Amino acid sequence: MSARIALSLLGQRRYLPLLVAQTLGAFNDNFFRYALVTLVAYQGMTVMDLPSTVLVPIAASLFTLPIFLFSAMAGRVSDVFDRTRVLRFTKFAEIWLMILAGAGFLLENPWLLMGTLFLMGAQSAFFAPAKNAALPTLLAPQELVPGNALISGSLNMAVLLGVGFGTVLIERTAGPEIVAAILVAIAVIGWLAARALPTTPAATPELKVSYNFVFETIRVFGHALRAPDVLRPLIGAAWFWMLAASIVTLMPNFARDVLGADATVVLFFSALFTIGAAIGAVLCGTLSGNGDALPFSIAGAVGLVLFPLDVAWQTMGHPPVPADAVLVTSAEFIADSGNWRLIADLGLAAISAGLFVVPLQAMAQRRAPADKRGRLLAAGGILNAATATLGQATLAILALFSLPIPTAFLLIALVSSVFAVLTFWRWWIGHRGKNMPA
């Protein structure tokens, strides 16, 4: 049933343009970020002489910080105005930001690139709540899980392509020129896709937009605390984004300093994680039917305990890789049977992550009342940014205190165990309540 619904959505004007706009935006975000990360980790670009183990998490935080700051304001905007109009505006702004990013690459100016990263985070802060609030208006309730699964799966594939092309193309002779041209072209196509979306009437047009983002953030969390059925799945989804941000940020230094591997192995790990997360999302959307999808979140949370724990177990004792060591290529790394268990762990952890997040996203969208949906789901954007920033800051702290990089996988397993227990408890309470005699 869910597979048939998902296929039918791909031919709908109320859904396909949003899927395309979201996918292309995710590609551009990661294409830009990984081109920048590659310059920092492998070509020595720096700011204030900071080492890459510190600068890479800082750069990642520059993207998530504005999402934390401006998501509450953005949620109010998505309730006051037509949500597809907000989506079109943010995609148009992306064109100008990609022009600015292209200039940063052409001029090899790290300050300009870092500043653009912050502005891209601000653009994402306004896009996400408008998209999430529009979905329950554009889709029927039974379409939300497969619709979210398609978006999550395509988003992960876009991340994969963005990471891959960003890592490879920036190192070519004409890399900055190629990267700049692709960034602008993809932004234009994404804007054209957003223009094809049907209108969605404003939920509460009588509200006024507040520009006090501090007060608005407090007010949004007030709404969320009064809607615990919406807040709980938002907190769970925020853990997924913290995990994803930490993995993406961790991989270059993990590959180089722990495994002695080059940038092609970083690309392989990124492919493994994004394809795995896409598979998990699609499996959830395909198998859930019209029933309760929360058991998929429980299974995913358990996987996020077991597999990262095994990654830490395998790599914790690795000696430091010398700075002048010859780095292993992806072909050599994959051919070594001693690495197959590590590869399996990372892939299965990614599938678990995809299973974990899709039911929670659909649950929050379905439960949020229409007149407050933009603001309530904006609380999710704030939580996503806060947890992602916390994860990246944790990586920077680990580096500053010279703790082993595999310690990060131990932390992932520890926090995932808490979510596994809580998710199972909530499902068990709800399951018992449904089956109790009247």
Side-chain angles (χ1 to χ4, degrees), residues 209-258:
V209 176
S210 171
Y211 298 100
N212 186 334
F213 59 84
V214 176
F215 176 74
E216 195 59 35
T217 299
I218 295 171
R219 184 156 54 183
V220 160
F221 272 107
H223 289 305
L225 290 172
R226 290 190 293 273
D229 286 350
V230 179
L231 182 60
R232 283 192 295 268
L234 290 179
I235 292 173
W239 165 239
F240 167 81
W241 292 110
M242 179 178 180
L243 170 68
S246 299
I247 292 292
V248 168
T249 305
L250 179 68
M251 279 306 162
N253 294 318
F254 177 68
R256 187 193 62 208
D257 297 336
V258 177

mmCIF file of all heavy atoms in Angstrom, residues 209-258:
data_model
loop_
_atom_site.group_PDB
_atom_site.id
_atom_site.type_symbol
_atom_site.label_atom_id
_atom_site.label_comp_id
_atom_site.label_asym_id
_atom_site.label_seq_id
_atom_site.Cartn_x
_atom_site.Cartn_y
_atom_site.Cartn_z
ATOM 1 N N VAL A 209 4.542 39.230 12.127
ATOM 2 C CA VAL A 209 5.880 38.641 12.143
ATOM 3 C C VAL A 209 6.725 39.347 13.183
ATOM 4 O O VAL A 209 6.788 40.583 13.223
ATOM 5 C CB VAL A 209 6.547 38.737 10.763
ATOM 6 C CG1 VAL A 209 7.971 38.201 10.814
ATOM 7 C CG2 VAL A 209 5.729 37.979 9.724
ATOM 8 N N SER A 210 7.349 38.577 14.042
ATOM 9 C CA SER A 210 8.229 39.129 15.073
ATOM 10 C C SER A 210 9.677 39.010 14.621
ATOM 11 O O SER A 210 10.107 37.959 14.142
ATOM 12 C CB SER A 210 8.031 38.373 16.391
ATOM 13 O OG SER A 210 9.011 38.741 17.328
ATOM 14 N N TYR A 211 10.436 40.103 14.775
ATOM 15 C CA TYR A 211 11.847 40.093 14.394
ATOM 16 C C TYR A 211 12.769 39.908 15.600
ATOM 17 O O TYR A 211 13.977 39.895 15.447
ATOM 18 C CB TYR A 211 12.199 41.399 13.664
ATOM 19 C CG TYR A 211 11.423 41.561 12.385
ATOM 20 C CD1 TYR A 211 10.297 42.371 12.332
ATOM 21 C CD2 TYR A 211 11.794 40.876 11.233
ATOM 22 C CE1 TYR A 211 9.560 42.513 11.168
ATOM 23 C CE2 TYR A 211 11.067 40.996 10.059
ATOM 24 C CZ TYR A 211 9.947 41.825 10.037
ATOM 25 O OH TYR A 211 9.227 41.945 8.882
ATOM 26 N N ASN A 212 12.172 39.772 16.768
ATOM 27 C CA ASN A 212 12.950 39.495 17.980
ATOM 28 C C ASN A 212 13.133 37.984 18.081
ATOM 29 O O ASN A 212 12.300 37.276 18.645
ATOM 30 C CB ASN A 212 12.218 40.045 19.209
ATOM 31 C CG ASN A 212 13.032 39.916 20.482
ATOM 32 O OD1 ASN A 212 13.891 39.042 20.607
ATOM 33 N ND2 ASN A 212 12.764 40.789 21.441
ATOM 34 N N PHE A 213 14.229 37.475 17.496
ATOM 35 C CA PHE A 213 14.362 36.025 17.392
ATOM 36 C C PHE A 213 14.566 35.365 18.755
ATOM 37 O O PHE A 213 14.221 34.193 18.932
ATOM 38 C CB PHE A 213 15.488 35.644 16.423
ATOM 39 C CG PHE A 213 16.847 36.159 16.783
ATOM 40 C CD1 PHE A 213 17.652 35.478 17.670
ATOM 41 C CD2 PHE A 213 17.329 37.324 16.201
ATOM 42 C CE1 PHE A 213 18.910 35.942 17.992
ATOM 43 C CE2 PHE A 213 18.593 37.796 16.521
ATOM 44 C CZ PHE A 213 19.392 37.105 17.425
ATOM 45 N N VAL A 214 15.097 36.091 19.725
ATOM 46 C CA VAL A 214 15.270 35.506 21.054
ATOM 47 C C VAL A 214 13.912 35.278 21.710
ATOM 48 O O VAL A 214 13.600 34.171 22.179
ATOM 49 C CB VAL A 214 16.145 36.407 21.948
ATOM 50 C CG1 VAL A 214 16.228 35.840 23.356
ATOM 51 C CG2 VAL A 214 17.539 36.555 21.349
ATOM 52 N N PHE A 215 13.084 36.317 21.717
ATOM 53 C CA PHE A 215 11.749 36.193 22.313
ATOM 54 C C PHE A 215 10.920 35.167 21.544
ATOM 55 O O PHE A 215 10.183 34.377 22.139
ATOM 56 C CB PHE A 215 11.047 37.553 22.310
ATOM 57 C CG PHE A 215 9.635 37.504 22.816
ATOM 58 C CD1 PHE A 215 9.381 37.359 24.174
ATOM 59 C CD2 PHE A 215 8.566 37.585 21.936
ATOM 60 C CE1 PHE A 215 8.078 37.297 24.637
ATOM 61 C CE2 PHE A 215 7.265 37.516 22.402
ATOM 62 C CZ PHE A 215 7.017 37.380 23.759
ATOM 63 N N GLU A 216 11.039 35.176 20.212
ATOM 64 C CA GLU A 216 10.251 34.250 19.401
ATOM 65 C C GLU A 216 10.657 32.802 19.663
ATOM 66 O O GLU A 216 9.814 31.897 19.675
ATOM 67 C CB GLU A 216 10.403 34.599 17.922
ATOM 68 C CG GLU A 216 9.356 33.952 17.023
ATOM 69 C CD GLU A 216 7.936 34.340 17.391
ATOM 70 O OE1 GLU A 216 7.710 35.498 17.823
ATOM 71 O OE2 GLU A 216 7.053 33.471 17.272
ATOM 72 N N THR A 217 11.944 32.576 19.885
ATOM 73 C CA THR A 217 12.399 31.219 20.210
ATOM 74 C C THR A 217 11.790 30.750 21.515
ATOM 75 O O THR A 217 11.319 29.601 21.628
ATOM 76 C CB THR A 217 13.938 31.186 20.296
ATOM 77 O OG1 THR A 217 14.500 31.558 19.035
ATOM 78 C CG2 THR A 217 14.437 29.802 20.678
ATOM 79 N N ILE A 218 11.778 31.626 22.510
ATOM 80 C CA ILE A 218 11.172 31.273 23.800
ATOM 81 C C ILE A 218 9.686 30.973 23.617
ATOM 82 O O ILE A 218 9.146 30.001 24.165
ATOM 83 C CB ILE A 218 11.386 32.415 24.815
ATOM 84 C CG1 ILE A 218 12.877 32.583 25.113
ATOM 85 C CG2 ILE A 218 10.599 32.142 26.093
ATOM 86 C CD1 ILE A 218 13.207 33.823 25.925
ATOM 87 N N ARG A 219 9.006 31.807 22.811
ATOM 88 C CA ARG A 219 7.571 31.619 22.607
ATOM 89 C C ARG A 219 7.277 30.311 21.859
ATOM 90 O O ARG A 219 6.321 29.601 22.182
ATOM 91 C CB ARG A 219 6.994 32.813 21.835
ATOM 92 C CG ARG A 219 5.494 32.742 21.663
ATOM 93 C CD ARG A 219 4.861 34.098 21.455
ATOM 94 N NE ARG A 219 5.465 34.845 20.361
ATOM 95 C CZ ARG A 219 5.115 36.091 20.034
ATOM 96 N NH1 ARG A 219 4.200 36.727 20.750
ATOM 97 N NH2 ARG A 219 5.693 36.711 19.034
ATOM 98 N N VAL A 220 8.097 29.988 20.869
ATOM 99 C CA VAL A 220 7.897 28.746 20.120
ATOM 100 C C VAL A 220 8.047 27.537 21.037
ATOM 101 O O VAL A 220 7.265 26.585 20.967
ATOM 102 C CB VAL A 220 8.889 28.668 18.932
ATOM 103 C CG1 VAL A 220 9.061 27.231 18.451
ATOM 104 C CG2 VAL A 220 8.387 29.531 17.787
ATOM 105 N N PHE A 221 9.044 27.567 21.914
ATOM 106 C CA PHE A 221 9.195 26.445 22.830
ATOM 107 C C PHE A 221 8.062 26.395 23.845
ATOM 108 O O PHE A 221 7.717 25.322 24.346
ATOM 109 C CB PHE A 221 10.558 26.501 23.525
ATOM 110 C CG PHE A 221 11.629 25.793 22.744
ATOM 111 C CD1 PHE A 221 12.597 26.521 22.091
ATOM 112 C CD2 PHE A 221 11.624 24.420 22.635
ATOM 113 C CE1 PHE A 221 13.576 25.876 21.350
ATOM 114 C CE2 PHE A 221 12.589 23.758 21.901
ATOM 115 C CZ PHE A 221 13.569 24.495 21.250
ATOM 116 N N GLY A 222 7.478 27.540 24.139
ATOM 117 C CA GLY A 222 6.278 27.537 24.975
ATOM 118 C C GLY A 222 5.146 26.778 24.299
ATOM 119 O O GLY A 222 4.455 25.961 24.928
ATOM 120 N N HIS A 223 4.941 27.042 22.983
ATOM 121 C CA HIS A 223 3.943 26.285 22.226
ATOM 122 C C HIS A 223 4.267 24.794 22.245
ATOM 123 O O HIS A 223 3.381 23.951 22.416
ATOM 124 C CB HIS A 223 3.896 26.775 20.769
ATOM 125 C CG HIS A 223 3.295 28.132 20.599
ATOM 126 N ND1 HIS A 223 2.040 28.460 21.075
ATOM 127 C CD2 HIS A 223 3.767 29.242 19.979
ATOM 128 C CE1 HIS A 223 1.771 29.723 20.766
ATOM 129 N NE2 HIS A 223 2.803 30.218 20.101
ATOM 130 N N ALA A 224 5.554 24.470 22.040
ATOM 131 C CA ALA A 224 5.954 23.058 21.961
ATOM 132 C C ALA A 224 5.756 22.350 23.293
ATOM 133 O O ALA A 224 5.301 21.196 23.328
ATOM 134 C CB ALA A 224 7.411 22.964 21.508
ATOM 135 N N LEU A 225 6.062 23.016 24.394
ATOM 136 C CA LEU A 225 5.892 22.390 25.707
ATOM 137 C C LEU A 225 4.422 22.128 26.016
ATOM 138 O O LEU A 225 4.095 21.204 26.775
ATOM 139 C CB LEU A 225 6.511 23.282 26.791
ATOM 140 C CG LEU A 225 8.039 23.359 26.788
ATOM 141 C CD1 LEU A 225 8.518 24.427 27.765
ATOM 142 C CD2 LEU A 225 8.647 21.998 27.139
ATOM 143 N N ARG A 226 3.538 22.948 25.428
ATOM 144 C CA ARG A 226 2.100 22.723 25.624
ATOM 145 C C ARG A 226 1.548 21.680 24.648
ATOM 146 O O ARG A 226 0.337 21.387 24.683
ATOM 147 C CB ARG A 226 1.345 24.045 25.479
ATOM 148 C CG ARG A 226 1.600 25.026 26.625
ATOM 149 C CD ARG A 226 0.660 26.223 26.575
ATOM 150 N NE ARG A 226 0.908 27.081 25.433
ATOM 151 C CZ ARG A 226 1.802 28.080 25.414
ATOM 152 N NH1 ARG A 226 2.530 28.332 26.503
ATOM 153 N NH2 ARG A 226 1.962 28.823 24.346
ATOM 154 N N ALA A 227 2.404 21.163 23.767
ATOM 155 C CA ALA A 227 1.995 20.114 22.826
ATOM 156 C C ALA A 227 2.994 18.962 22.914
ATOM 157 O O ALA A 227 3.742 18.691 21.978
ATOM 158 C CB ALA A 227 1.932 20.668 21.404
ATOM 159 N N PRO A 228 3.027 18.248 24.049
ATOM 160 C CA PRO A 228 4.050 17.210 24.246
ATOM 161 C C PRO A 228 3.973 16.083 23.221
ATOM 162 O O PRO A 228 4.990 15.457 22.925
ATOM 163 C CB PRO A 228 3.766 16.702 25.670
ATOM 164 C CG PRO A 228 2.351 17.096 25.956
ATOM 165 C CD PRO A 228 2.122 18.371 25.211
ATOM 166 N N ASP A 229 2.769 15.806 22.670
ATOM 167 C CA ASP A 229 2.662 14.754 21.664
ATOM 168 C C ASP A 229 3.414 15.121 20.381
ATOM 169 O O ASP A 229 3.814 14.230 19.625
ATOM 170 C CB ASP A 229 1.194 14.485 21.331
ATOM 171 C CG ASP A 229 0.478 13.724 22.441
ATOM 172 O OD1 ASP A 229 1.179 13.263 23.361
ATOM 173 O OD2 ASP A 229 -0.754 13.603 22.389
ATOM 174 N N VAL A 230 3.585 16.407 20.131
ATOM 175 C CA VAL A 230 4.369 16.866 18.982
ATOM 176 C C VAL A 230 5.844 16.967 19.366
ATOM 177 O O VAL A 230 6.730 16.603 18.589
ATOM 178 C CB VAL A 230 3.857 18.236 18.479
ATOM 179 C CG1 VAL A 230 4.684 18.721 17.285
ATOM 180 C CG2 VAL A 230 2.384 18.136 18.095
ATOM 181 N N LEU A 231 6.103 17.436 20.579
ATOM 182 C CA LEU A 231 7.485 17.671 21.005
ATOM 183 C C LEU A 231 8.292 16.374 21.093
ATOM 184 O O LEU A 231 9.473 16.350 20.732
ATOM 185 C CB LEU A 231 7.485 18.386 22.360
ATOM 186 C CG LEU A 231 8.853 18.751 22.939
ATOM 187 C CD1 LEU A 231 9.614 19.677 22.010
ATOM 188 C CD2 LEU A 231 8.697 19.389 24.316
ATOM 189 N N ARG A 232 7.667 15.294 21.559
ATOM 190 C CA ARG A 232 8.420 14.041 21.733
ATOM 191 C C ARG A 232 9.031 13.530 20.430
ATOM 192 O O ARG A 232 10.234 13.238 20.387
ATOM 193 C CB ARG A 232 7.530 12.985 22.396
ATOM 194 C CG ARG A 232 7.352 13.187 23.898
ATOM 195 C CD ARG A 232 6.727 11.969 24.539
ATOM 196 N NE ARG A 232 5.372 11.739 24.062
ATOM 197 C CZ ARG A 232 4.270 12.217 24.655
ATOM 198 N NH1 ARG A 232 4.380 12.948 25.749
ATOM 199 N NH2 ARG A 232 3.081 11.964 24.169
ATOM 200 N N PRO A 233 8.264 13.394 19.350
ATOM 201 C CA PRO A 233 8.910 12.952 18.114
ATOM 202 C C PRO A 233 9.900 13.960 17.550
ATOM 203 O O PRO A 233 10.873 13.578 16.891
ATOM 204 C CB PRO A 233 7.734 12.725 17.150
ATOM 205 C CG PRO A 233 6.585 13.463 17.732
ATOM 206 C CD PRO A 233 6.791 13.453 19.204
ATOM 207 N N LEU A 234 9.690 15.252 17.813
ATOM 208 C CA LEU A 234 10.662 16.258 17.366
ATOM 209 C C LEU A 234 12.007 16.061 18.057
ATOM 210 O O LEU A 234 13.065 16.219 17.431
ATOM 211 C CB LEU A 234 10.132 17.663 17.643
ATOM 212 C CG LEU A 234 8.945 18.143 16.797
ATOM 213 C CD1 LEU A 234 8.533 19.556 17.227
ATOM 214 C CD2 LEU A 234 9.267 18.110 15.316
ATOM 215 N N ILE A 235 11.972 15.727 19.339
ATOM 216 C CA ILE A 235 13.221 15.482 20.072
ATOM 217 C C ILE A 235 13.937 14.257 19.494
ATOM 218 O O ILE A 235 15.155 14.244 19.317
ATOM 219 C CB ILE A 235 12.939 15.303 21.572
ATOM 220 C CG1 ILE A 235 12.454 16.625 22.183
ATOM 221 C CG2 ILE A 235 14.180 14.801 22.301
ATOM 222 C CD1 ILE A 235 11.986 16.511 23.622
ATOM 223 N N GLY A 236 13.169 13.209 19.194
ATOM 224 C CA GLY A 236 13.774 12.026 18.594
ATOM 225 C C GLY A 236 14.398 12.318 17.241
ATOM 226 O O GLY A 236 15.521 11.880 16.948
ATOM 227 N N ALA A 237 13.687 13.079 16.401
ATOM 228 C CA ALA A 237 14.234 13.429 15.090
ATOM 229 C C ALA A 237 15.476 14.291 15.230
ATOM 230 O O ALA A 237 16.418 14.193 14.422
ATOM 231 C CB ALA A 237 13.176 14.162 14.270
ATOM 232 N N ALA A 238 15.523 15.130 16.257
ATOM 233 C CA ALA A 238 16.700 15.981 16.469
ATOM 234 C C ALA A 238 17.940 15.136 16.747
ATOM 235 O O ALA A 238 19.049 15.503 16.344
ATOM 236 C CB ALA A 238 16.448 16.944 17.635
ATOM 237 N N TRP A 239 17.738 14.003 17.426
ATOM 238 C CA TRP A 239 18.886 13.121 17.655
ATOM 239 C C TRP A 239 19.439 12.591 16.335
ATOM 240 O O TRP A 239 20.646 12.490 16.137
ATOM 241 C CB TRP A 239 18.498 11.967 18.567
ATOM 242 C CG TRP A 239 19.516 10.849 18.538
ATOM 243 C CD1 TRP A 239 19.311 9.563 18.183
ATOM 244 C CD2 TRP A 239 20.903 10.957 18.874
ATOM 245 N NE1 TRP A 239 20.479 8.850 18.256
ATOM 246 C CE2 TRP A 239 21.476 9.685 18.678
ATOM 247 C CE3 TRP A 239 21.719 12.005 19.301
ATOM 248 C CZ2 TRP A 239 22.820 9.428 18.909
ATOM 249 C CZ3 TRP A 239 23.060 11.740 19.528
ATOM 250 C CH2 TRP A 239 23.601 10.475 19.342
ATOM 251 N N PHE A 240 18.544 12.273 15.391
ATOM 252 C CA PHE A 240 19.009 11.808 14.080
ATOM 253 C C PHE A 240 19.888 12.870 13.420
ATOM 254 O O PHE A 240 20.944 12.561 12.857
ATOM 255 C CB PHE A 240 17.820 11.489 13.178
ATOM 256 C CG PHE A 240 18.202 11.308 11.734
ATOM 257 C CD1 PHE A 240 18.720 10.109 11.282
ATOM 258 C CD2 PHE A 240 18.056 12.351 10.830
ATOM 259 C CE1 PHE A 240 19.084 9.940 9.955
ATOM 260 C CE2 PHE A 240 18.413 12.193 9.500
ATOM 261 C CZ PHE A 240 18.934 10.986 9.059
ATOM 262 N N TRP A 241 19.462 14.129 13.468
ATOM 263 C CA TRP A 241 20.237 15.185 12.795
ATOM 264 C C TRP A 241 21.547 15.456 13.522
ATOM 265 O O TRP A 241 22.550 15.808 12.899
ATOM 266 C CB TRP A 241 19.386 16.456 12.681
ATOM 267 C CG TRP A 241 18.256 16.254 11.727
ATOM 268 C CD1 TRP A 241 16.934 16.160 12.018
ATOM 269 C CD2 TRP A 241 18.368 16.033 10.317
ATOM 270 N NE1 TRP A 241 16.208 15.907 10.885
ATOM 271 C CE2 TRP A 241 17.059 15.831 9.819
ATOM 272 C CE3 TRP A 241 19.437 16.002 9.419
ATOM 273 C CZ2 TRP A 241 16.798 15.600 8.473
ATOM 274 C CZ3 TRP A 241 19.177 15.767 8.075
ATOM 275 C CH2 TRP A 241 17.877 15.574 7.612
ATOM 276 N N MET A 242 21.558 15.283 14.833
ATOM 277 C CA MET A 242 22.824 15.382 15.565
ATOM 278 C C MET A 242 23.769 14.270 15.129
ATOM 279 O O MET A 242 24.966 14.495 14.891
ATOM 280 C CB MET A 242 22.572 15.290 17.063
ATOM 281 C CG MET A 242 23.843 15.349 17.909
ATOM 282 S SD MET A 242 23.460 15.302 19.680
ATOM 283 C CE MET A 242 25.111 15.379 20.373
ATOM 284 N N LEU A 243 23.221 13.068 15.002
ATOM 285 C CA LEU A 243 24.020 11.929 14.555
ATOM 286 C C LEU A 243 24.562 12.164 13.151
ATOM 287 O O LEU A 243 25.758 11.966 12.886
ATOM 288 C CB LEU A 243 23.158 10.663 14.597
ATOM 289 C CG LEU A 243 23.736 9.412 13.943
ATOM 290 C CD1 LEU A 243 24.934 8.918 14.746
ATOM 291 C CD2 LEU A 243 22.674 8.326 13.842
ATOM 292 N N ALA A 244 23.686 12.581 12.234
ATOM 293 C CA ALA A 244 24.110 12.786 10.849
ATOM 294 C C ALA A 244 25.178 13.872 10.745
ATOM 295 O O ALA A 244 26.194 13.705 10.049
ATOM 296 C CB ALA A 244 22.903 13.154 9.985
ATOM 297 N N ALA A 245 24.957 14.987 11.452
ATOM 298 C CA ALA A 245 25.939 16.080 11.409
ATOM 299 C C ALA A 245 27.272 15.640 11.998
ATOM 300 O O ALA A 245 28.347 15.982 11.480
ATOM 301 C CB ALA A 245 25.394 17.296 12.167
ATOM 302 N N SER A 246 27.219 14.864 13.078
ATOM 303 C CA SER A 246 28.460 14.409 13.706
ATOM 304 C C SER A 246 29.227 13.456 12.799
ATOM 305 O O SER A 246 30.449 13.550 12.665
ATOM 306 C CB SER A 246 28.147 13.721 15.042
ATOM 307 O OG SER A 246 27.524 14.609 15.939
ATOM 308 N N ILE A 247 28.503 12.536 12.152
ATOM 309 C CA ILE A 247 29.154 11.577 11.263
ATOM 310 C C ILE A 247 29.802 12.287 10.086
ATOM 311 O O ILE A 247 30.966 12.022 9.728
ATOM 312 C CB ILE A 247 28.138 10.527 10.777
ATOM 313 C CG1 ILE A 247 27.688 9.629 11.932
ATOM 314 C CG2 ILE A 247 28.720 9.689 9.642
ATOM 315 C CD1 ILE A 247 28.753 8.718 12.481
ATOM 316 N N VAL A 248 29.053 13.208 9.462
ATOM 317 C CA VAL A 248 29.586 13.935 8.308
ATOM 318 C C VAL A 248 30.823 14.738 8.700
ATOM 319 O O VAL A 248 31.828 14.773 7.974
ATOM 320 C CB VAL A 248 28.496 14.857 7.716
ATOM 321 C CG1 VAL A 248 29.094 15.834 6.724
ATOM 322 C CG2 VAL A 248 27.424 14.017 7.030
ATOM 323 N N THR A 249 30.767 15.369 9.863
ATOM 324 C CA THR A 249 31.889 16.189 10.316
ATOM 325 C C THR A 249 33.073 15.333 10.747
ATOM 326 O O THR A 249 34.234 15.695 10.556
ATOM 327 C CB THR A 249 31.437 17.078 11.500
ATOM 328 O OG1 THR A 249 30.290 17.835 11.098
ATOM 329 C CG2 THR A 249 32.533 18.033 11.917
ATOM 330 N N LEU A 250 32.779 14.171 11.315
ATOM 331 C CA LEU A 250 33.812 13.303 11.867
ATOM 332 C C LEU A 250 34.621 12.580 10.795
ATOM 333 O O LEU A 250 35.822 12.336 10.977
ATOM 334 C CB LEU A 250 33.140 12.276 12.795
ATOM 335 C CG LEU A 250 33.997 11.230 13.499
ATOM 336 C CD1 LEU A 250 34.900 11.898 14.531
ATOM 337 C CD2 LEU A 250 33.102 10.191 14.169
ATOM 338 N N MET A 251 33.989 12.239 9.683
ATOM 339 C CA MET A 251 34.580 11.313 8.734
ATOM 340 C C MET A 251 35.954 11.727 8.173
ATOM 341 O O MET A 251 36.851 10.879 8.076
ATOM 342 C CB MET A 251 33.608 11.018 7.593
ATOM 343 C CG MET A 251 32.579 9.979 7.951
ATOM 344 S SD MET A 251 33.352 8.450 8.573
ATOM 345 C CE MET A 251 31.979 7.688 9.380
ATOM 346 N N PRO A 252 36.178 12.981 7.755
ATOM 347 C CA PRO A 252 37.511 13.300 7.208
ATOM 348 C C PRO A 252 38.647 13.034 8.188
ATOM 349 O O PRO A 252 39.665 12.428 7.822
ATOM 350 C CB PRO A 252 37.394 14.796 6.866
ATOM 351 C CG PRO A 252 35.943 15.028 6.649
ATOM 352 C CD PRO A 252 35.257 14.124 7.637
ATOM 353 N N ASN A 253 38.499 13.460 9.431
ATOM 354 C CA ASN A 253 39.554 13.249 10.421
ATOM 355 C C ASN A 253 39.621 11.789 10.881
ATOM 356 O O ASN A 253 40.707 11.272 11.160
ATOM 357 C CB ASN A 253 39.342 14.179 11.617
ATOM 358 C CG ASN A 253 39.507 15.634 11.223
ATOM 359 O OD1 ASN A 253 40.403 15.991 10.482
ATOM 360 N ND2 ASN A 253 38.607 16.484 11.707
ATOM 361 N N PHE A 254 38.476 11.105 10.964
ATOM 362 C CA PHE A 254 38.453 9.688 11.320
ATOM 363 C C PHE A 254 39.197 8.865 10.267
ATOM 364 O O PHE A 254 40.023 7.997 10.595
ATOM 365 C CB PHE A 254 37.005 9.216 11.444
ATOM 366 C CG PHE A 254 36.843 7.747 11.746
ATOM 367 C CD1 PHE A 254 37.223 7.226 12.977
ATOM 368 C CD2 PHE A 254 36.305 6.892 10.795
ATOM 369 C CE1 PHE A 254 37.061 5.871 13.249
ATOM 370 C CE2 PHE A 254 36.141 5.540 11.065
ATOM 371 C CZ PHE A 254 36.515 5.029 12.292
ATOM 372 N N ALA A 255 38.920 9.156 8.995
ATOM 373 C CA ALA A 255 39.571 8.406 7.918
ATOM 374 C C ALA A 255 41.073 8.670 7.888
ATOM 375 O O ALA A 255 41.880 7.738 7.789
ATOM 376 C CB ALA A 255 38.937 8.767 6.575
ATOM 377 N N ARG A 256 41.465 9.929 8.001
ATOM 378 C CA ARG A 256 42.879 10.273 7.859
ATOM 379 C C ARG A 256 43.690 9.911 9.092
ATOM 380 O O ARG A 256 44.764 9.288 8.992
ATOM 381 C CB ARG A 256 43.014 11.783 7.586
ATOM 382 C CG ARG A 256 44.432 12.225 7.245
ATOM 383 C CD ARG A 256 44.540 13.744 7.304
ATOM 384 N NE ARG A 256 44.256 14.226 8.657
ATOM 385 C CZ ARG A 256 43.761 15.425 8.932
ATOM 386 N NH1 ARG A 256 43.470 16.261 7.959
ATOM 387 N NH2 ARG A 256 43.532 15.789 10.185
ATOM 388 N N ASP A 257 43.192 10.270 10.287
ATOM 389 C CA ASP A 257 44.009 10.168 11.498
ATOM 390 C C ASP A 257 43.890 8.825 12.211
ATOM 391 O O ASP A 257 44.799 8.439 12.958
ATOM 392 C CB ASP A 257 43.639 11.290 12.478
ATOM 393 C CG ASP A 257 43.938 12.669 11.910
ATOM 394 O OD1 ASP A 257 44.794 12.766 11.017
ATOM 395 O OD2 ASP A 257 43.300 13.643 12.351
ATOM 396 N N VAL A 258 42.782 8.111 12.020
ATOM 397 C CA VAL A 258 42.595 6.819 12.686
ATOM 398 C C VAL A 258 42.879 5.659 11.742
ATOM 399 O O VAL A 258 43.557 4.697 12.104
ATOM 400 C CB VAL A 258 41.157 6.703 13.258
ATOM 401 C CG1 VAL A 258 40.930 5.327 13.877
ATOM 402 C CG2 VAL A 258 40.905 7.793 14.290
#
